[in-house]
Structures are given as C-alpha cells and as structure tokens.
Amino acid sequence: MVLHIANSFLEKYVPTKYYLPIAVGTLSIYITKAWFSGRKTTRERDLHGRTVLLTGATSSLGFTLLTALAKRGAQIIAVVPDTSDPTLMSMIDLVRFTTDNELIYAEQCDMSSPNAIKEFCAQLIKSSGGGLQSEPPRLDAVVFAHEYTHIGALNATASEQNREHTLRREGRLATFFWTTLLLPVLLTAPEDRDIRFINIVSPFYAAAVPSFSPNVSQKEGSSSPRSGKGTSVWLEEGKRSLEAILHTRHLQRILDALPAPSIRADSTPQSKQQAQQQQQKPQESQNHQQQQQQKKKDKQKHDTESVAESATAVKRPSNILAVSVSPGISRWDTVGPYLRADKTSPMYSTIGLLCYAVVLPFLYVFAKSSEAAIQSVLHALFLPTPLKTTTRAGSTGQDHDRHSAATTEELLRGGALYAECNCVSLSRDGETRLGGEEVGRMVWESLEAELAEWRKAEDVKAASAPKQGQKTHG
C-alpha cells in the first residue's frame, strides 16, 4: 500500500527524467554522510564484572557511552551534577530497564569544586559495588568525558569569554585532580588487572600545535583568561585539547617508569637445572687440580647462563594504560554549544536553538551523531593490552622477538592518541617539538601549580563565606 502511494506520487509530481538525478543525489548524500560519520570499531568485549567510572555522563556523548557500556554488562559509576534532578534520574532508570542492567549508579559531584572532587574520591576509595557505601572499589576503567563538550559560543561577549575561560580551566584541573587522587589506589590493584584511563578530548587539537608553547602556558596566571583579544575560540579549544593529550602522555611515562616485575622467558628451565646439578657433582676419580679447574669452568658457565637469562627477561608492562581519544565533531556536543543551542550551557539562547534547527539537515550529513562519536572510545576500551601478551610470552617460554613478530593483533598503546578507531599522531613538527618528555613534564608541573591555586582559592572563598554571613546578620 505504501509503495503504491509512493509510486502514484512520483508519477504525478516527478517527471521520469528526474529519476536518475534524484537517485544519484540520494546515493551521494548517503556516501557523504557515511564518510563524515567515521569508522566503526570492529572490536567487541564482554564487560560483565568490570567497573567503569564515567564523568560527563549527562552530555550527549556521555549518556550514549553510558548506554553502550550498560548493554555490555559493565557496572557503571556515572558522575552527575545533581542527583535530585527527576529528569536525569528517570533517564538513568530508563537505561537500567532497556539494557537489563541494574548495576548503574548515578553519583553526585560538583566538577567545579576541588573539595567536592576530593570528598567524592575519598568515599569512592572506601566503597565499591553499590555505589559509595560498600567495600573497597574495583575500577577497570576511568573515562573522562566531561572535557569533550565544546566551550565557546558564537559572538561571545567579554564577560562570556571570561566565563568560558573559567570553565576550560575547571575542566582540565578536574581531570588532573581526579587522576592524582585515584592513581595511588589503582597502583595497589592486582598486577594482572587491566586498568585504563581514557581522556576524551576536543577534535581541534591540531589548530593549537603550531603556536602551542608549554613555557607560555606555565607562566600565564591561572586566574586570568588565557585567550587574548581576537583569539579564535577554535584555537582556545585546541589548546585545551592539546594540553590534555600531552598530560595523558606524561602520565603514561610516569606509569612506565614505575618498577615492575620481570617475566623470565626460560625455554627449558628443568633441563638447565639438571645440567647445573650434573656440573656441580664432584668428580671423585679426578685429582684435586682437576676439581679446581672444573669448578672454575662451572662458575664461568653459570655466570654466562645468568647473563643470558637476564637478556631474555621480558619487562612486564604497566597494567595501567592512559590514552587520549578524539571522537571528532558531533552535532550536539560540538556544534550545539557553539550555536548556543545547549540548554545546560550558561550561553544558551532561544535564537541559537532556532539556528541549530535550521542547519540541522546539513549537520545530519556533515557532523557525527553521538552513536558515531563514541566508536573510537569503545575501540580504546575494547582493544587488548600488551600486559596479557607479555604474560603469555613469558609463561609459554617462547622467544620474545619471535612472539612479537608472530603477533599481528592490534594492541592498545599507552599514551597514544586515538581517532577514527586508529592510533594517530600530531603533525610531524608537532611530534618533534611537543612529543618529548620535557614538554610533558612542563605541562604536568603547570597543572600542579594551577591545581594548588584552584584549591587555595576555594579554601579562601569557603573561609570568607561565614564572615560575610556574620556581617550580614549583624
């Protein structure tokens, strides 16, 4: 019936000569949309028994990621700004019902307050299972999704630009503070547990590569806006994203530098032990001089074998991997805030929402949906890590080089940047200038200094609040 109506409509209103152009145009739009939607991950992973901490769960990408992880059986601790919001809690209940997963917990934390973050992490360290009221936690992944949402509105005023600077600063410092608070606890986890830090960043990092300087970032005061007059909002977003990428790289360097047990790749341990025992048996038929010579030979051989075994020892990689993921440009999390269409943003306007509705058909083709944007995040969560591969190489007694050559499976690379389900790099100049340890250390120290100022400012504000209240009362 439907096909008959459509056929009648075409015959009546669309001439036959337009059929081919319409078909070609429709196919072109479909191919273009598929191209801009990016790659889909070919990986899959059963997440039953795994616990994921997710910040930014109320954003479009965060909520879509929450649903995808819940479908795969993960226990999720979703960090939300307000658990008293009935709409938000209804959405969480809906996810529990549609995914048949009751292990989804919404926990409140003010990401703009370092004291609130510290208190949340202190409670989390003492808890697990049912949110924040049980045994010590098991965390298999920490996903920072709060920094992905675009910050920067079209035609922003000076006061709005200052507000945007504050939001960027609070977001990056919150990520750094979360990391420093959770890392000591995760380092005490069993060595065979696969733990991942995933930092979701803005796709505009490439815009900041030519002009980014860690020296300038370190000298700039944290309380004053970084953006100068006439600075592009895309450049400011690029700086924020690039800082997050360099911070994640340096975090992985720190993890790799920590002492870790080695796995000895001994191909025939029993035969070597028997050989040593045979060499150590006294030769009663030989005279004293022959015995002394034999002992010298045995010692030299034992030293040679010790050196060989040390050379074949496989250094166990860190069981904690930190990676950055750039999901690309999404319709709601990237374009929506820029056009002031996001009602949760302080820059929201009704005109901006109408503009977003007007350009939505174009965005449907040229920008990603949230489902397409999370594919690279899922890819980073699903990829196997080098930890299991190294363990197998040591336990099976195979030569490490031969095992690595034979292994063609893609492994998650700590400190790497992932986009479009691939491990990517900065530009050639960017890797040469910014990829070193010194730059990462400077970014890390800059974040430490800003974090100290941020915490001090909140303490001062909290201390002055009672005094102001007493003056008002008096």
Side-chain angles (χ1 to χ4, degrees), residues 150 152-154 331 334-342 347-357 359-360 363:
H150 178 80
L154 180 65
R331 293 194 282 268
T334 306
V335 183
Y338 177 69
L339 295 179
R340 303 174 180 265
D342 185 4
M347 285 67 174
Y348 167 78
S349 71
T350 305
I351 296 177
L353 183 61
L354 294 175
C355 292
Y356 180 82
V359 300
L360 187 58
L363 297 178

Side-chain angles (χ1 to χ4, degrees), residues 53-66 76-81 88 92 107 109 111 142-149 174-175 178 198 200 333 374:
L53 176 67
L54 174 64
T55 67
T58 55
S59 65
S60 179
L61 178 135
F63 191 78
T64 305
L65 183 60
L66 171 71
I76 305 171
I77 302 175
V79 181
V80 299
L88 173 61
I92 296 295
E107 302 292 351
C109 181
M111 299 292 285
V142 180
V143 182
F144 296 120
H146 63 277
E147 283 200 87
Y148 172 65
T149 303
T175 301
W178 275 92
I198 296 181
I200 305 177
D333 286 313
I374 66 170

Side-chain angles (χ1 to χ4, degrees), residues 256-325:
D256 292 339
L258 295 176
S262 298
I263 303 172
R264 180 162 296 176
D266 191 354
S267 58
T268 57
Q270 293 182 353
S271 61
K272 288 184 179 180
Q273 185 177 2
Q274 292 174 359
Q276 292 176 3
Q277 290 176 355
Q278 291 176 0
Q279 292 166 6
Q280 293 173 358
K281 288 183 179 180
Q283 302 291 336
E284 297 179 355
S285 60
Q286 296 179 353
N287 56 27
H288 180 70
Q289 185 178 2
Q290 290 176 337
Q291 288 180 358
Q292 292 297 328
Q293 292 177 354
Q294 185 65 31
K295 286 181 180 180
K296 290 182 180 180
K297 292 180 180 180
D298 290 344
K299 186 177 183 302
Q300 291 176 356
K301 188 171 184 178
H302 181 270
D303 293 341
T304 304
E305 288 179 351
S306 299
V307 173
E309 289 176 357
S310 299
T312 57
V314 180
K315 186 181 184 302
R316 187 187 186 95
S318 174
N319 65 316
I320 304 177
L321 295 182
V323 298
S324 304
V325 177

